[in-house]
Amino acid sequence: MNTDTADEQDESGIATWIVEVFVALCLFVLGAVVAYNSWKLGAGWRDDGPGAGYFPFYIGLLICTASAIVGVRGMRSGSRVDKVFVTHSQLRLVLTVLLPSLAFVAAVQVVGIYVGSLLFIAGFMVWVGKYHWAKSVAIAFAVMAIAFLMFEVWFKVPLFKGALDPLRFLGY
Amino acid sequence: MTEFASLFHGFAVVLTPFNLMLMMVGIVLGVLIGVLPGLGGANGVAILLPLTFSMPPTSAIILLSCIYWGALFGGAITSVLFNIPGEPWSVATTFDGYPMAQQGRAGEALTAAFTSSFIGAFFAVLMITFLAPLVARFALQFGPPEFFSVYLLTFCSFVGMGKGSPMKILASMMLGFALAAVGMDTVTGQLRLTFGLPDLMRGFDFLIAVIGLFGIGEILLSMEEGLKFSGSSARINTRIVLETWKKLPKYWMTSIRSTLIGCWMGITPGGATPASFMSYGMAKKMSPRGANFGKGEIEGVVAPETAAHAAGTSALLPMLALGIPGSPTAAVLLGGLLIWGLQPGPLLFVEKPDFVWGLIASMYLGNVAGLIIVLTSVPLFASILRVPFAIIAPIIIAICAIGAYTVHSAMLDIWFMLGFGVVGYVFKKLDYPLAPLVLAVVLGDRAEDSFRQSMLLSQGDLTILWSNWLVGSITTLALLLLAWPFIGRGLQMVKAVALRAESRASTTHDQRG
């Protein structure tokens, strides 16, 4: 019984055609926005040549056309071809990377790249990889030490250090 | 034979201890990048590009192009040993490489892969040496309409030669153009599509797009598959190498064919990935042992590797001679030229011969060095793949974030990178090709400028694109390629109708007989 339900869970997921139509719709809206904005900027011919919106206007129109065709095709094939875009278990795996990455990018904006990356690598190893925290911190620290040497010391490319700036004592 | 003199001058430029060291570092880093999931030629070079801002341009391009060669070599290692293509162009290598490894012939497969990579690259570099100066000299006469028609040809050939849905190729490409249009308009100085956000004034940098689309997108994809690395071990020693080398000359026909396919697909922006598949398919069809393909045939490793490397290398020809890259990685290198203050295009050969010939000379040396390094250090690189994904994934994401930040020292770019990562993941799963998107972001402004300059010349008359035989034939060819998917379908329909008519004719004939 248990394996059956597990299998069913694996099989089910978000249908490909829904994602297909959704993406096409997003592209269509984007194309429309591009075309509208370019129109406002001046998509026509000016005294001194083509206006700033001349080229992007047609780009916007082409995005709309292409995405409309893709979208309509997707809807037609629709439920007849029920391919799965991503199963629930796959989605869970993807989210175990994506959600921490989101948190990482948000954190980095405040605490800086060094501290943020250190926390992210160590945290990911403990949470997803189930490693011992000491080992995780050690590896994360080693990676960031290499990054520090490479960027700040050898190539003189300063990274964002954020509010904490723990490396101030080194003079960087 | 001025090429020889220039080439030797190029060798003189390259053969300094500093440049040779950069070459070695580049190859090793490149193989590492090729082996690791989520890091590939294009985004690996993009991440390391900011590190080269302070270097002399020739040293910088040697480092970056050697990373590219290394990544091309590295893709084969994971394909053969782990059945995981480290790069998209090494997918076809897994078909016969992995079965060979399972039969305990991993060393043989790897030697064959590396050697044929080297041969493919070598002939592509030879071609670049002699053809690129000619093309550049020819292109010196180009005006804006000619350049626009070449851009048109580049983009139309994506649609004409792409495998997927032409509408998706078009949508993805136009999205790239739209992203390129964001920011300050170079001609009028007006702000376009910035929606009042000052951060958008600079526009989207394609390096951010490359790092997100290929790096983060790839990590999400590999995570979804729940990567379990279980690989065979590789032992390469001199005996295996020599024995394999004895076998390889038998496949000279395959090598020549694959090199030609690779060079053609590299110059036109078909790219290394379709080249490797096409070459594998051709080899399977033409080989007397074609039925054994997929079961561990050495020829099935030779064909895709030769073509992929030849394509990857010859993608640099249009980048050098015309300023129009043939692959995403070539596009990133082109972005590098702009950052180092060099103007890509046909004038580069005249104005910066040291740079151009230094680069070409480094291609010869880099590939020799690459071959030696990979042949001697495979076990080392293979052991990296045994590091669990839970350690590799966060490190690569952190590296991508650092790479995205260093492009402009802007924290907002890290958000964009993550956004591009999600787009890359979804696009990849829906078969929207990413290469045309990236090339459009890179070339968008320049294509637009050449278009607007042509329109200024002609006062808005599109017939300027047919004003002389040269621009006219390029434009016509481009439009033919654009229409190719539809022509192809039309031809198939005609053929089907003809077949039906023929069979009807033959049946009536039979009845009469």
Side-chain angles (χ1 to χ4, degrees):
Chain A
M1 266 316 269
N2 259 338
T3 48
D4 271 349
T5 46
D7 275 348
E8 260 167 47
Q9 270 179 350
D10 273 346
E11 292 289 310
S12 65
I14 306 165
T16 299
W17 75 274
I18 294 178
V19 184
E20 184 93 85
V21 171
F22 176 73
V23 169
L25 202 69
C26 289
L27 282 173
F28 188 85
V29 171
L30 198 93
V33 169
V34 170
Y36 173 72
N37 271 285
S38 312
W39 183 257
K40 271 204 313 192
L41 269 176
W45 193 265
R46 303 226 219 112
D47 312 330
D48 53 346
Y54 186 69
F55 195 73
F57 175 68
Y58 293 99
I59 298 293
L61 286 190
L62 275 172
I63 294 180
C64 288
T65 320
S67 58
I69 294 175
V70 172
V72 168
R73 264 193 210 147
M75 272 207 273
R76 270 212 208 131
S77 78
S79 34
R80 272 190 291 119
V81 194
D82 51 7
K83 268 197 287 183
V84 176
F85 179 74
V86 59
T87 64
H88 289 304
S89 54
Q90 282 177 330
L91 189 64
R92 208 173 307 127
L93 281 172
V94 170
L95 288 181
T96 51
V97 178
L98 193 58
L99 293 180
S101 305
L102 265 173
F104 162 62
V105 176
V108 150
Q109 314 278 334
V110 184
V111 298
I113 287 177
Y114 289 108
V115 180
S117 305
L118 196 120
L119 290 176
F120 175 57
I121 296 171
F124 195 91
M125 281 178 64
V126 171
W127 184 50
V128 180
K130 311 274 181 260
Y131 289 94
H132 192 267
W133 66 268
K135 191 183 175 188
S136 310
V137 170
I139 289 180
F141 194 82
V143 171
M144 291 330 290
I146 295 172
F148 174 76
L149 286 176
M150 222 168 128
F151 285 89
E152 308 269 342
V153 182
W154 293 330
F155 289 97
K156 311 251 179 285
V157 180
L159 299 185
F160 183 67
K161 294 184 197 64
L164 295 177
D165 200 0
L167 298 165
R168 214 169 333 171
F169 69 93
L170 286 173
Y172 283 95
Chain B
M1 286 293 108
T2 50
E3 280 83 8
F4 276 117
S6 317
L7 187 59
F8 279 110
H9 177 65
F11 277 114
V13 172
V14 175
L15 287 170
T16 66
F18 179 62
N19 285 344
L20 285 178
M21 183 203 71
L22 283 180
M23 192 180 276
M24 291 297 171
V25 171
I27 300 269
V28 173
L29 269 177
V31 180
L32 197 65
I33 282 167
V35 168
L36 288 171
L39 287 177
N43 59 2
V45 175
I47 290 170
L48 292 169
L49 188 59
L51 292 183
T52 65
F53 287 174
S54 53
M55 283 185 199
T58 314
S59 305
I61 191 96
I62 289 174
L63 175 68
L64 293 183
S65 61
C66 283
I67 291 175
Y68 186 26
W69 315 139
L72 281 165
F73 278 116
I77 299 178
T78 55
S79 309
V80 171
L81 293 183
F82 295 87
N83 204 17
I84 301 161
E87 300 292 332
W89 54 72
S90 42
V91 172
T93 312
T94 61
F95 298 161
D96 279 277
Y98 187 60
M100 281 179 79
Q102 281 179 316
Q103 295 157 19
R105 291 156 65 207
E108 199 185 325
L110 284 172
T111 310
F114 295 148
T115 313
S116 18
S117 296
F118 172 75
I119 290 169
F122 187 78
F123 281 102
V125 182
L126 267 184
M127 186 193 64
I128 291 180
T129 310
F130 294 101
L131 202 58
L134 288 181
V135 175
R137 213 169 299 150
F138 182 62
L140 278 177
Q141 316 157 4
F142 279 18
E146 281 82 3
F147 267 111
F148 181 71
S149 67
V150 176
Y151 286 122
L152 196 66
L153 181 66
T154 309
F155 285 107
C156 290
S157 54
F158 271 118
V159 179
M161 303 202 295
K163 260 197 177 154
S165 143
M167 282 304 147
K168 283 188 176 172
I169 300 173
L170 193 68
S172 159
M173 192 189 301
M174 290 304 144
L175 181 63
F177 275 117
L179 288 174
V182 174
M184 179 112 59
D185 174 27
T186 45
V187 181
T188 61
Q190 278 174 296
L191 291 179
R192 299 195 296 195
L193 303 169
T194 55
F195 307 102
L197 294 173
D199 283 308
L200 284 179
M201 260 172 64
R202 303 186 248 110
F204 284 97
D205 197 294
F206 77 100
L207 291 171
I208 311 295
V210 167
I211 295 171
L213 290 171
F214 292 102
I216 305 293
E218 204 61 44
I219 285 280
L220 294 177
L221 275 175
S222 347
M223 194 64 194
E224 177 187 284
E225 286 154 17
L227 270 192
K228 282 182 236 72
F229 294 135
S230 53
S232 21
S233 57
R235 250 174 258 108
I236 293 192
N237 52 38
T238 331
R239 199 174 52 84
I240 295 180
V241 172
L242 290 179
E243 270 174 20
T244 314
W245 278 355
K246 249 182 246 159
K247 282 187 208 166
L248 287 179
K250 257 200 304 192
Y251 307 114
W252 61 277
M253 249 320 277
T254 313
S255 296
I256 292 176
R257 191 171 53 229
S258 307
T259 306
L260 289 178
I261 294 174
C263 287
W264 170 248
M265 297 293 276
I267 295 175
T268 61
T273 311
S276 62
F277 279 105
M278 199 194 260
S279 164
Y280 183 85
M282 291 272 268
K284 189 175 178 174
K285 232 177 262 171
M286 319 257 288
S287 165
R289 298 174 60 84
N292 275 349
F293 271 49
K295 292 176 196 154
E297 195 62 29
I298 196 165
E299 203 178 344
V301 175
V302 171
E305 280 295 313
T306 313
H309 231 109
T313 309
S314 51
L316 293 186
L317 191 155
M319 191 274 272
L320 274 177
L322 301 173
I324 298 173
S327 74
T329 313
V332 177
L333 290 176
L334 182 105
L337 295 190
L338 293 171
I339 291 169
W340 304 318
L342 300 174
Q343 188 60 45
L347 271 176
L348 200 62
F349 272 84
V350 184
E351 286 173 350
K352 301 278 175 197
D354 274 11
F355 175 82
V356 173
W357 290 103
L359 170 61
I360 293 178
S362 84
M363 291 182 187
Y364 286 97
L365 292 176
N367 274 298
V368 176
L371 182 66
I372 296 167
I373 289 178
V374 285
L375 278 178
T376 47
S377 57
V378 162
L380 192 73
F381 289 114
S383 66
I384 286 161
L385 262 186
R386 296 202 173 79
V387 178
F389 199 63
I391 301 178
I392 295 266
I395 293 179
I396 289 175
I397 293 173
I399 291 174
C400 287
I402 294 175
Y405 169 77
T406 47
V407 176
H408 288 297
S409 302
M411 293 306 283
L412 188 69
D413 281 345
I414 304 183
W415 281 114
F416 285 143
M417 172 203 78
L418 201 61
F420 276 117
V422 176
V423 170
Y425 168 73
V426 174
F427 270 29
K428 203 90 174 253
K429 294 212 78 176
L430 290 177
D431 282 331
Y432 282 90
L434 296 180
L437 197 166
V438 171
L439 284 201
V441 180
V442 180
L443 296 177
D445 280 339
R446 285 163 0 106
E448 182 182 350
D449 284 348
S450 62
F451 181 66
R452 278 160 87 173
Q453 283 161 4
S454 321
M455 288 301 104
L456 275 174
L457 284 174
S458 70
Q459 286 304 303
D461 189 358
L462 277 175
T463 51
I464 192 170
L465 295 175
W466 281 274
S467 55
N468 60 48
W469 66 269
L470 177 65
V471 64
S473 46
I474 300 177
T475 312
T476 312
L477 184 64
L479 293 181
L480 271 177
L481 271 172
L482 184 65
W484 185 248
F486 307 102
I487 298 174
R489 208 175 297 160
L491 278 180
Q492 267 177 0
M493 269 160 65
V494 170
K495 227 184 250 171
V497 170
L499 257 175
R500 222 177 296 144
E502 208 171 90
S503 63
R504 207 178 298 139
S506 64
T507 44
T508 47
H509 186 79
D510 285 347
Q511 280 164 1
R512 255 186 243 151

